[in-house]
Amino acid sequence: MSIDVETAARVAKLARIKVEPDALPALAEEFSNILGFIEQLNEVDVEGVEPMTSVTPQKLYRRQDEVTDGSQQEKVLANAPDAREGFFAVPKVVE
């Protein structure tokens, strides 16, 4: 797939990236190269290939998904500018 200079300028504008007009041809060529590589990846047959987390087989550590209070209330509140009765105290924002 080929990207022209006008399309590259439009993509840069949508991404809110300032690109000088003299840099647009290089940007368009780079976009074309990226899309060409994606098309090349789409041609690869991955039928029957299991998804991997790494190139080396490894087991992921799994823990029980349990809700706890963290047992660190004092440590968490130690750095609070204002803590009262075990909670963060914040200024009133609604009258």
Side-chain angles (χ1 to χ4, degrees):
M1 177 176 223
S2 178
I3 300 293
D4 58 358
V5 174
E6 291 80 22
T7 305
R10 185 164 187 262
V11 169
K13 181 181 178 186
L14 290 172
R16 305 220 189 289
I17 299 171
K18 183 178 180 181
V19 178
E20 299 298 328
D22 57 335
L24 283 174
L27 182 65
E29 183 179 343
E30 190 69 30
F31 283 159
S32 295
N33 291 340
I34 291 169
L35 291 176
F37 182 69
I38 292 172
E39 288 176 356
Q40 186 179 359
L41 288 176
N42 284 335
E43 295 173 4
V44 176
D45 181 24
V46 293
E47 189 68 34
V49 177
E50 293 288 325
M52 301 184 317
T53 58
S54 175
V55 293
T56 57
Q58 59 185 355
K59 282 201 153 257
L60 296 177
Y61 171 74
R62 301 208 176 176
R63 62 173 172 81
Q64 292 295 325
D65 189 15
E66 298 172 346
V67 177
T68 66
D69 64 356
S71 301
Q72 298 185 23
Q73 183 177 15
E74 294 81 21
K75 290 180 184 178
V76 171
L77 294 175
N79 294 323
D82 188 9
R84 297 182 203 149
E85 301 175 14
F87 296 98
F88 290 101
V90 295
K92 184 178 178 181
V93 293
V94 178
E95 294 186 33

